[in-house]
Amino acid sequence: MRSSIPRRSLFAFWTISALAAISASPARSAEPNVPDEFRVKREADFEFAAKPRMRIDGDRVAVEFETTAFCDVTIAVEDAQGRIVRHLASGVLGAAAPPPFAKGAKRQSIVWDGKDDGGRYIDDLGGLSIRVSLGLKPEFEKVLFWSPKKRIARQNPPLIAAVEEGVLVCEGEGRDSIVLFDHAGEYVRTVYPFPADKLDEVRGLKRAEFPQSGKSLPLKYGLVQATLLNSGRNTGDGTLAKYEPAATAFAAQGTRIAVVSERLNRLATDGTSGGLDIVGPETSVTLLHRNEETSVVPRSAAFDPAGKTLYLTGYHFRPEYPRPHHWVPCVLRMEYESDEKPTLFAGSLELDGFGTEPGKFRAPMSVACDGQGRVYVADYMNDRVQVFAPDGAFLKAISVKKPAALGIHHQTGELFVGSWNVLNRFSDAGDVKEPLITRLGSFDDPREHESWPMPLFEHHTAVFMNKFAGLQHDFALDSHTAAPTFWLVPGAAGSVSKLLMVRGEMTKSPEAASLKLYQPRDGRLALVRDFGKEVAEAIERVQPPVHSRQKLYVAPTTGKLYVFEGQAGVAKSSLSLLEIDPATETIRDVPLPFDCEDLAFDANGLLYLRTDNVVGRFEPRFGSDPKTWQEVPFDYGEERPAVGFSSSGDGRRRDLIGALVMPALRPGCFHQGGMAVSVNGNLVVPCYNNQDPVARAEEMREIREAGEIAAGKKYTPPVYPGRIRWNEVHVWDRHGKVLFEDAVPGAPMMDGIAIDRDDAIYLMVTPNRVLDGEPYFLERAETLVKVRPAAAKFLSGGRNVQLPLARRPETPADMRRGGDGSVWLEGADWKYGGVGYGGFNSSKGGGGCACWHARFDLDFYARSFAPEVDHYSVAVLDQAGNLITRIGRYGNADSAGPDSPVPLDGDGVGLFHAAYVAAHTDHRLFIADVGNSRMVSVKLGYHRTERLELGGANSAKAR
């Protein structure tokens, strides 16, 4: 049933009502008011009124059938092994049915010309069949490349809290996670992202009604739109938000969880907010430093035994790198259920309020509570632990050198202290020469009993330490085991001194920096669990993906998945791929001939590798020395020595004999927007080409000074009023001959490009979609478009163009860019909004950031698979832009099929932040769901299928 609201005002009405609907209420059950662009176009009746039959006339085979409804139909020619030799047709029947389907008809006759996808006649039809399928039916298949023990942050340490049920691990870098392990270190469940069946029990989430479905869904915060928690600095719009976590301090007691940084977020161990509003009061402290206000957040938090009072300390900040940290000499106290800000419990809120007398602090770093509610504070630079009564009265000081972290045994009351070097303005060289964990008695007799060397990774003894300043280390006591278990954070997964890469090879730093569990045995700490080793054995790569980029590619000839993560060239190029076999789930690291910024497979399995201005083509020999890979030169190619993307010495280079040299430079964001090869071998590449001659000359100078061999070819496109100059799109054939120059005039920045067999070009451009004069309500969403070469062009009403528009088009704008205003796309086949993530779409935070981005994919039927990142889904559109279906819904790592702890209805696919996809036509869709730190394999089947055998009596005559 369509809405009675006039079409003209529908999107505007939705935008206003969605923003007004931001609340903690669950989704409404009423039929949604969905704009036509976002409606699923197929009818959900997948039956044949007349089953398929065929007529053979020489080389031509006509397939005739009739459906009972205007559903989607997919037709393939397959061999005996089920391999598709010709992707014949796919689309939604109806008034807007794509060719070769007849429009507005359920009865269809589709002709096959006897050729394969490469345009070659198939002489022997033996074993071939024509498959006619109705109703694309995606279904969850399996999870790939997932380990709950893998770190997700390169510098922010995991925060750990033990409760009776198990041990909670909280970590974040742009995105966040809270995972519950049992006391032996086995995975139990994911607490955050919230379980799908608990989402409506999380009070206070920011929600909106989405135009795609009319459902009320939670809105993500911040620059990179990847967290539902609003406690930390990753919710800001500054460009550094992508590195920040939700929690800098973390505590748990019973079922209650405190996530603390700029403010308190209240969670519970069951994945709800425990009956409370998730959003608590501000917990930061505002100081005046150098005549500027500075917001300072805590490092440590502790509950009282009743779980009602929360203590905070470790407030610190670094004025500027490499200056040492300043520590605010205070402990604050707050009531967990209250919305009142914390108040001073002990010490001073003045930077210079430090001291050595009782109740004063010099760099207080950690706080803990014992079973009687006494409060213990690690007074780091005073070499003591101070103990206070719940009313704030000073009780005693316990002498211990450089206490950095505290743990109290929940039964015996024994105090355990971790000591290591933490850089601060009072530090001396070699404050702690050997990191230690020390066991002391309880409050009544806190004498030292024993100590053990603390095995930290790259512990620094100098005053001028690395940028992590000792804050990359941490430890937590789990006293619910027979012998106390120490959960140790040995170091940062992104070390400064080793930077994860040494001479092009992975170091062991991510593995060494992973969580490790130790217990005291025979006067030493015995390793009882090594998360890094387990992750390496399970999924090969322990290193967290930089900027959460996990671009995906499928080799069409094998169906294997390849994962592209940044390793070199400011973490934007890759030296090696992860190869994942979806059938066996085996994973291996496969080196590449040179470090590239992007790549693409063609239909025959050849691999195209791209730097900023060069494309090389290879016969891949995965698993072998990349020096032995056979180059497949372009006929129109050029010799090119020392090809590689990185100029910082961490890359790899290769001489090419037939490289495709493009008119392209390197943009400041380093990623070019994609590349793709059509099923018949044509290559489309967007080439960054700065419009400003001065800026271009400066880029050329920087390239030369960086030691690059040469820049790309020079190209100056025709200029027209309103032309955006970010890049130009060019198309080459399989021989390297230019087919279309400047194929999409005025193309803006994009996150993915594709080309079909008819040379139509598909782009996921960064400007935000506008419908009925209103932009899509989330400004960082992008727009997927289809255009024909030289038949469409972009126009910008912004000022950042070479030649401004003298007069704007009379039609409403199609898109909008943050800071640049309206964008028109004339001559497009279709447009579809609300997809991807366009980091530069916002004028906030200095113009945004595109380190996080997204990619769509096009299969050999020209079906687009576009991530609707904020809607927790993937849109599937046919080549006419008809929405066939959506894949996925909100879910966390425990939604993994029908037998998982939290099964989902429909296709069973749970997603949280799914920005990258790759399709293996009619086999699988792979989704990189970085929000759940996993890959999801989705089986692409159909509701109904009929086959017609071409061999035997029905075989066409031999040619």
Side-chain angles (χ1 to χ4, degrees):
M1 174 179 176
R2 289 187 177 271
S3 168
S4 59
I5 301 169
R7 177 71 183 88
R8 178 178 174 79
S9 61
L10 180 60
F11 199 78
F13 169 83
W14 172 83
T15 304
I16 295 170
S17 63
L19 295 177
I22 292 175
S23 68
S25 61
R28 296 202 303 262
S29 58
E31 185 174 334
N33 295 319
V34 177
D36 186 65
E37 185 166 304
F38 295 128
R39 285 185 180 273
V40 173
K41 301 302 189 299
R42 70 180 184 180
E43 295 178 353
D45 178 359
F46 310 114
E47 295 294 336
F48 289 102
K51 288 186 177 182
R53 63 188 184 90
M54 62 182 176
R55 291 184 294 103
I56 300 176
D57 182 11
D59 294 332
R60 299 165 64 84
V61 179
V63 180
E64 299 174 346
F65 60 91
E66 184 178 358
T67 61
T68 58
F70 290 115
C71 61
D72 60 301
V73 180
T74 299
I75 307 175
V77 181
E78 297 180 330
D79 65 15
Q81 289 72 45
R83 184 178 66 89
I84 299 176
V85 296
R86 177 66 181 269
H87 297 79
L88 199 55
S90 184
V92 177
L93 301 182
F101 297 109
K103 296 184 184 299
K106 298 174 186 175
R107 181 180 294 275
Q108 298 285 334
S109 179
I110 306 300
V111 175
W112 175 46
D113 59 7
K115 296 178 182 179
D116 65 12
D117 279 328
R120 298 172 294 269
Y121 279 107
I122 301 175
D123 292 327
D124 184 5
L125 302 187
L128 296 184
S129 63
I130 295 180
R131 170 172 56 84
V132 184
S133 300
L134 306 183
L136 181 66
K137 186 181 180 182
E139 292 181 299
F140 173 89
E141 183 184 30
K142 62 180 67 174
V143 168
L144 300 169
F145 194 47
W146 176 70
S147 170
K149 298 171 183 177
K150 180 175 179 175
R151 290 189 58 171
I152 70 172
R154 293 170 298 143
Q155 58 183 15
N156 307 313
L159 307 177
I160 306 161
V163 293
E164 185 174 354
E165 188 180 2
V167 178
L168 294 156
V169 177
C170 173
E171 192 176 12
E173 185 175 290
R175 58 195 169 105
D176 301 289
S177 76
I178 302 175
V179 174
L180 177 68
F181 297 92
D182 68 17
H183 296 290
E186 292 291 345
Y187 175 78
V188 176
R189 65 176 175 271
T190 295
V191 174
Y192 175 85
F194 307 110
D197 61 347
K198 302 291 187 181
L199 191 60
D200 290 341
E201 297 179 53
V202 182
R203 292 174 49 184
L205 286 179
K206 184 172 67 168
R207 284 180 176 261
E209 188 176 287
F210 276 70
Q212 289 92 334
S213 59
K215 293 181 179 178
S216 174
L217 296 172
L219 293 174
K220 291 179 268 193
Y221 288 96
L223 174 75
V224 296
Q225 303 282 287
T227 186
L228 299 177
L229 305 178
N230 73 337
S231 52
R233 289 171 175 166
N234 54 354
T235 62
D237 285 303
T239 56
L240 296 182
K242 59 182 176 284
Y243 301 118
E244 297 289 345
T248 54
F250 181 70
Q253 179 67 30
T255 62
R256 288 185 165 182
I257 298 172
V259 177
V260 187
S261 186
E262 292 280 358
R263 69 185 320 118
L264 169 68
N265 276 174
R266 308 179 185 98
L267 282 73
T269 56
D270 64 354
T272 71
S273 58
L276 302 173
D277 196 302
I278 187 176
V279 181
E282 291 183 8
T283 50
S284 61
V285 171
T286 301
L287 299 175
L288 191 65
H289 180 72
R290 296 181 182 175
N291 296 320
E292 290 186 4
E293 286 192 344
T294 300
S295 177
V296 187
V297 297
R299 178 182 181 271
S300 178
F303 275 107
D304 73 347
K308 293 185 176 181
T309 302
L310 193 65
Y311 298 91
L312 307 171
T313 195
Y315 284 87
H316 66 283
F317 71 100
R318 172 175 266 161
E320 59 185 51
Y321 182 76
R323 294 179 182 273
H325 282 83
H326 287 243
W327 294 76
V328 186
C330 69
V331 179
L332 303 188
R333 168 182 170 151
M334 66 183 298
E335 298 307 312
Y336 180 75
E337 297 183 9
S338 172
D339 288 333
E340 297 295 322
K341 294 182 180 180
T343 57
L344 185 67
F345 174 76
S348 171
L349 287 170
E350 300 295 327
L351 273 178
D352 294 329
F354 54 86
T356 58
E357 58 268 36
K360 294 286 187 178
F361 305 102
R362 294 171 73 222
M365 288 190 58
S366 181
V367 62
C369 288
D370 66 13
Q372 287 69 47
R374 292 179 289 242
V375 182
Y376 295 66
V377 183
D379 189 5
Y380 186 79
M381 289 308 297
N382 281 327
D383 293 322
R384 65 187 180 186
V385 175
Q386 296 196 63
V387 188
F388 300 86
D391 63 3
F394 173 78
L395 298 177
K396 69 170 55 175
I398 302 169
S399 179
V400 61
K401 186 173 182 179
K402 297 297 174 290
L406 306 178
I408 298 175
H409 198 288
H410 78 286
Q411 288 183 328
T412 67
E414 290 179 314
L415 175 64
F416 292 81
V417 178
S419 301
W420 64 88
N421 274 317
V422 180
L423 182 66
N424 63 81
R425 60 178 173 155
F426 304 117
S427 294
D428 294 320
D431 275 339
V432 180
K433 288 186 169 53
E434 182 180 41
L436 296 173
I437 295 178
T438 302
R439 180 173 74 90
L440 299 94
S442 62
F443 173 81
D444 295 326
D445 185 15
R447 290 177 295 174
E448 180 179 330
H449 290 283
E450 56 186 328
S451 62
W452 309 278
M454 194 179 190
L456 298 182
F457 170 65
E458 287 192 335
H459 178 256
H460 293 264
T461 59
V463 174
F464 194 79
M465 293 184 283
N466 68 10
K467 75 173 184 178
F468 301 124
L471 298 174
Q472 72 270 35
H473 308 301
D474 205 357
F475 103 104
L477 168 68
D478 179 12
S479 59
H480 295 271
T481 49
T485 302
F486 305 114
W487 289 60
L488 190 67
V489 184
S495 167
V496 165
S497 62
K498 289 192 176 178
L499 288 175
L500 303 179
M501 301 301 304
V502 177
R503 292 183 299 277
E505 301 298 329
M506 300 291 295
T507 73
K508 294 294 185 182
S509 59
E511 184 174 330
S514 297
L515 282 176
K516 292 174 174 51
L517 279 59
Y518 291 90
Q519 290 181 344
R521 294 177 188 169
D522 302 324
R524 65 181 182 86
L525 290 182
L527 180 66
V528 295
R529 194 114 201 194
D530 186 339
F531 277 21
K533 182 178 179 181
E534 292 179 35
V535 172
E537 292 174 350
I539 62 172
E540 176 68 30
R541 186 171 290 175
V542 187
Q543 175 192 8
V546 181
H547 304 311
S548 295
R549 289 187 183 188
Q550 291 181 314
K551 294 185 286 190
L552 304 183
Y553 309 87
V554 178
T557 53
T558 66
K560 292 182 179 180
L561 174 67
Y562 294 88
V563 183
F564 183 114
E565 296 179 337
Q567 299 165 318
V570 201
K572 302 299 196 301
S573 64
S574 185
L575 288 152
S576 64
L577 306 175
L578 280 180
E579 179 189 79
I580 303 176
D581 187 326
T584 64
E585 301 180 35
T586 55
I587 304 173
R588 63 173 178 169
D589 191 88
V590 291
L592 296 170
F594 57 85
D595 70 299
C596 60
E597 189 276 330
D598 212 338
L599 58 88
F601 286 95
D602 70 12
N604 299 314
L606 297 183
L607 184 61
Y608 296 63
L609 304 179
R610 176 190 184 169
T611 65
D612 45 358
N613 52 56
V614 171
V615 173
R617 183 169 57 187
F618 293 89
E619 180 79 44
R621 298 175 181 175
F622 293 120
S624 64
D625 186 339
K627 295 178 182 178
T628 67
W629 283 29
Q630 182 68 45
E631 182 186 355
V632 182
F634 293 95
D635 296 339
Y636 291 82
E638 303 175 21
E639 288 190 27
R640 194 76 163 185
V643 171
F645 182 83
S646 175
S647 57
S648 59
D650 58 358
R652 182 182 300 128
R653 294 189 175 274
R654 167 78 180 255
D655 294 342
L656 298 180
I657 61 175
L660 184 63
V661 181
M662 303 175 298
L665 291 169
R666 181 172 300 180
C669 61
F670 291 92
H671 69 92
Q672 301 276 351
M675 63 184 292
V677 186
S678 70
V679 68
N680 49 354
N682 293 338
L683 171 69
V684 63
V685 187
C687 297
Y688 173 75
N689 189 11
N690 197 304
Q691 71 182 42
D692 185 343
V694 176
R696 184 184 175 106
E698 178 65 16
E699 288 172 335
M700 296 286 284
R701 183 189 63 77
E702 291 177 355
I703 288 172
R704 288 193 297 270
E705 290 183 356
E708 295 294 315
I709 300 301
K713 296 179 178 179
K714 186 176 181 180
Y715 179 76
T716 303
V719 177
Y720 55 81
R723 174 164 187 153
I724 304 167
R725 283 292 306 280
W726 177 265
N727 56 21
E728 287 87 48
V729 174
H730 306 290
V731 181
W732 292 263
D733 67 13
R734 67 176 73 245
H735 305 290
K737 181 180 179 181
V738 175
L739 290 180
F740 302 102
E741 192 174 73
D742 196 18
V744 190
M749 187 178 182
M750 67 190 70
D751 284 330
I753 191 167
I755 183 169
D756 67 20
R757 68 168 64 249
D758 299 318
D759 292 329
I761 299 173
Y762 303 73
L763 310 93
M764 192 161 75
V765 294
T766 56
N768 189 18
R769 182 75 169 110
V770 173
L771 283 177
D772 295 327
E774 295 292 334
Y776 182 80
F777 79 115
L778 298 175
E779 64 181 351
R780 292 186 178 95
E782 302 177 299
T783 306
L784 182 67
V785 302
K786 177 186 178 182
V787 298
R788 305 282 172 172
K793 68 177 180 180
F794 284 86
L795 299 170
S796 172
R799 298 179 180 178
N800 188 28
V801 292
Q802 230 173 325
L803 187 61
L805 282 173
R807 187 173 67 179
R808 293 187 170 212
E810 295 180 1
T811 57
D814 297 300
M815 289 164 265
R816 187 180 299 277
R817 294 199 303 178
D820 279 346
S822 299
V823 175
W824 291 263
L825 174 54
E826 297 180 345
D829 283 23
W830 52 261
K831 315 169 192 76
Y832 184 86
V835 297
Y837 166 80
F840 285 142
N841 280 0
S842 175
S843 57
K844 303 173 185 176
C849 179
C851 287
W852 288 52
H853 54 60
R855 286 290 173 87
F856 82 103
D857 198 17
L858 191 79
D859 73 1
F860 288 160
Y861 287 118
R863 294 182 297 198
S864 298
F865 295 81
E868 297 176 315
V869 180
D870 300 297
H871 189 255
Y872 312 95
S873 60
V874 176
V876 187
L877 299 96
D878 69 17
Q879 62 176 310
N882 298 308
L883 181 62
I884 301 171
T885 189
R886 286 190 174 90
I887 298 173
R889 51 169 287 192
Y890 177 94
N892 72 3
D894 292 326
S895 291
D899 298 325
S900 62
V902 187
L904 302 176
D905 57 11
D907 56 35
V909 177
L911 303 173
F912 184 76
H913 189 89
Y916 303 92
V917 297
H920 187 205
T921 303
D922 271 6
H923 295 285
R924 294 180 173 93
L925 176 71
F926 299 100
I927 305 173
D929 182 12
V930 70
N932 286 316
S933 300
R934 66 180 183 177
M935 305 287 167
V936 179
S937 177
V938 181
K939 195 72 175 173
L940 298 180
Y942 293 91
H943 287 270
R944 182 68 184 271
T945 291
E946 295 287 339
R947 281 186 169 81
L948 301 171
E949 301 297 329
L950 282 166
N954 293 326
S955 177
K957 63 181 181 179
R959 283 175 290 274

